[in-house]
Amino acid sequence: LPVGRLRGGTRRTAFLFGGHTLKGTTRKTSSGAHKKTHAAGESDDGSVPEQGSKAPIDYGEYGRRGREELRANLVTGFPKFVLVSAACISIAGLRDFFKFYKSMKHGGAFKRWSDLTEGDKSGKEGHTGEPTIIYDVKGRVIATLSSEAVRLKDVAPAVWQAIVASEDHRFFTHKGVDLRGLLRAIGSLGKMGGGSTITQQLVKNLVLSQDRTVSRKLAEIILSMKVEKRLTKDELLEAYLNHVYWGHGVYGIAGAAASYYGKTPKELDVGEAALLAALLPAPEALSPYANPAGARRVRNTALARMAKHGYLNERQAKRFADSPLPASLALRPPSDLERSTGLEFSSVEHTSAYTGGRGVPRLGRGSAAPYRAPFFVSEVLYHLKELFQGQDVLAQGGLKVHTTLDLALQERAEQLVLEDGLVPIRGEDKGEAALVAIDPFSGGVRVLVGGREYANSPFNRAVLAKRAAGSAFKPFVYLAALQAGMINPSSLIQDEEVVFDVPEGEEPTYTPMNYTRKYKGTVSVRECLVESLNVPTVKVAETVGVAKILEMAYALGITSPLPHALSVSLGSCETTPLEMCVAYATIAAGGVYSKPHLITKVRDRAGGTVYRHKGVRRLASSPAATAALSGMLRLALSRGTGKAAGLGWNSETAAGKTGTS
């Protein structure tokens, strides 16, 4: 193995063999040849070592000198490394600063800072904001999101005491930044809690953004120290209480007290105040509607901190810690089906089978939020933020939001989806589910259920979960062929084993099979869709072309990217339940696409209309082709693969298609 290089291009190689070291040195001559200067087994002076002895290796030449040169190179290059690193950090810091400054300038940060320092963000002037109310399509109230601003004297002292003890116990002694808390957070990498004070949180929430950047953090620290010089501690607490987020779209202490307990802020007791303070780090995850065990645990932690910092004595803290969650957060009565399974009991042995492995009962819960139709309302809140970007409309309050939801249908659908999960399939849990219903002629979403139960999982599968479409995609294939005039419902196709050439695919050929692994021979197009036959569908797709199929799917309302592959005809693509519902609604509307929407109108506190939905309608497929497909889908539901799903529906009007993946 090469162990060193001599000056002048000489390479010395040492070999270890049989306990002896054989060395050979070659020198490169000007002619390019190599001249041997030492024979193998000779020492440098030409003598032959005695038998059993080893030729010495000059470790000083090949070891110490190399280390010294490496050390010298490090000493010489380190200042350059420091300068280059500092330059890169400075460039990145300047770029981050200018990006942050631009976003703050255009985002109205200067106006928000002015409002905060002038006291407009507190309730000390007696300003009382109106709640934001969300209505269904028939004018029934779905949710009331209070944004009332209250004075500190109108809030039970236990509220701010619990928050100070839990969030920032040195609030009354620091000048905006708690250096010890900041160093503790940095040293523990956040494991021992964040280092932000109440003042910093207020500045971040009301003036800055939620970006995790160095510039934002530095601005937060500087502004926190400045605002401490302009506002008193009571004014800072007042502004914080009126604008902090308590989960489920609720901002401010007035909204939290009303939503969680049905009380005013002045009526809250110590236990209720401790629970609200404990929710602040993660209000959705710790919500008593979704995680009662976790909510009680963090409430007791908040009570212990209140005792530690002198707001309670140990006996008072223990008394409140031993009490259950307030009655306003109690579980709803179980349904007949839940009662038949024994889930009305609260013991572990009766509920452990329904915890989903996360310790939260899947059944026997309320809506898991302080309002009805939580999946729908959560999506409406998201759309409101998108509609009014840069404007804190929820915190300002006073909005009247009119939606497309039919509350009676929504709550019936929630119950059906929940109870369906109680019935196992082949002895196993069915897992999660989602359900969407749309008005085909307006695009208004009437029902939106994103899972079995919001308490168990608030993830909205109806709009976020992409699943393989399976055979539910087949109607798009037949509609493309019907519109192109290549087939009609009575056209005959041979159902047989076929190997399709796929020149652009990963595999050179594609061999689809029917679900039953059997073939029916000559069948009509109508029977192909009614019986959901795979091979004839792929034949139709090959005839009409994949490009036309994708074009039809997009026209009907699919928005997810679709693969340009022959297998897409059998649903080898991922879409959301909402997308599939929109596409089928377009077929139900005679081929007329209507853009889906949840909000129809928004009025401000003065009664002025600040948003009105403008419908988007266009012709996606010809009426004749759509009518032919609808007839085939009615048969699929009355006597085809969807027969079980069609029970109880009018066979002359109900149409649909099953899809399995």
Side-chain angles (χ1 to χ4, degrees), residues 367-391:
S367 65
Y371 39 71
R372 301 159 83 175
F375 285 110
F376 184 86
V377 172
S378 298
E379 193 67 15
V380 166
L381 295 178
Y382 171 78
H383 281 261
L384 283 174
K385 292 179 181 179
E386 292 293 307
L387 289 174
F388 301 98
Q389 287 188 1
Q391 306 174 46

Side-chain angles (χ1 to χ4, degrees), residues 293-552:
R296 185 172 181 177
R297 173 177 51 80
V298 295
R299 181 203 63 177
N300 293 349
T301 301
L303 289 168
R305 288 177 178 172
M306 291 180 71
K308 177 181 178 181
H309 298 294
Y311 296 112
L312 293 175
N313 58 47
E314 294 292 339
R315 186 169 56 83
Q316 290 173 320
K318 186 178 186 305
R319 178 166 59 85
F320 283 109
D322 291 339
S323 64
L325 292 177
S328 60
L329 305 176
L331 306 182
R332 62 164 170 79
S335 67
D336 292 339
L337 183 55
E338 293 167 350
R339 189 176 291 106
S340 68
T341 64
L343 290 179
E344 73 272 19
F345 299 100
S346 59
S347 58
V348 175
E349 53 266 50
H350 283 92
T351 59
S352 60
Y354 298 90
T355 59
R358 288 169 285 221
V360 181
R362 288 181 51 185
L363 300 166
R365 297 288 308 154
S367 65
Y371 39 71
R372 301 159 83 175
F375 285 110
F376 184 86
V377 172
S378 298
E379 193 67 15
V380 166
L381 295 178
Y382 171 78
H383 281 261
L384 283 174
K385 292 179 181 179
E386 292 293 307
L387 289 174
F388 301 98
Q389 287 188 1
Q391 306 174 46
D392 200 354
V393 294
L394 293 177
Q396 293 173 5
L399 300 179
K400 303 295 185 288
V401 183
H402 297 266
T403 71
T404 60
L405 184 79
D406 187 320
L407 187 58
L409 286 178
Q410 171 75 19
E411 294 189 333
R412 177 57 178 154
E414 290 175 355
Q415 182 181 0
L416 289 173
V417 171
L418 180 63
E419 292 182 348
D420 175 71
L422 286 173
V423 183
I425 180 170
R426 300 185 185 90
E428 297 183 0
D429 186 359
K430 290 180 179 177
E432 282 292 352
L435 191 153
V436 184
I438 287 182
D439 182 347
F441 301 101
S442 69
V445 178
R446 297 287 184 253
V447 172
L448 187 74
V449 183
R452 297 283 186 197
E453 190 176 19
Y454 192 83
N456 190 45
S457 173
F459 179 66
N460 198 334
R461 293 161 186 82
V463 296
L464 298 175
K466 292 190 174 184
R467 297 294 303 273
S471 294
F473 194 88
K474 289 177 181 177
F476 311 156
V477 177
Y478 289 101
L479 184 56
L482 288 167
Q483 179 152 302
M486 296 181 176
I487 61 171
N488 62 63
S490 300
S491 299
L492 299 179
I493 304 179
Q494 196 69 20
D495 180 25
E496 59 189 352
E497 184 175 359
V498 179
V499 177
F500 295 91
D501 294 327
V502 187
E504 298 179 359
E506 296 181 359
E507 300 292 336
T509 60
Y510 174 50
T511 309
M513 292 184 292
N514 291 328
Y515 183 77
T516 61
R517 303 294 194 274
K518 298 178 182 179
Y519 303 96
K520 294 195 171 185
T522 304
V523 292
S524 67
V525 167
R526 182 182 296 105
E527 291 302 314
C528 292
L529 185 57
V530 169
E531 298 297 330
S532 195
L533 301 178
N534 289 341
V535 175
T537 303
V538 179
K539 285 186 175 183
V540 172
E542 186 181 45
T543 302
V544 72
V546 174
K548 286 188 177 295
I549 295 172
L550 300 187
E551 181 182 347
M552 176 58 69

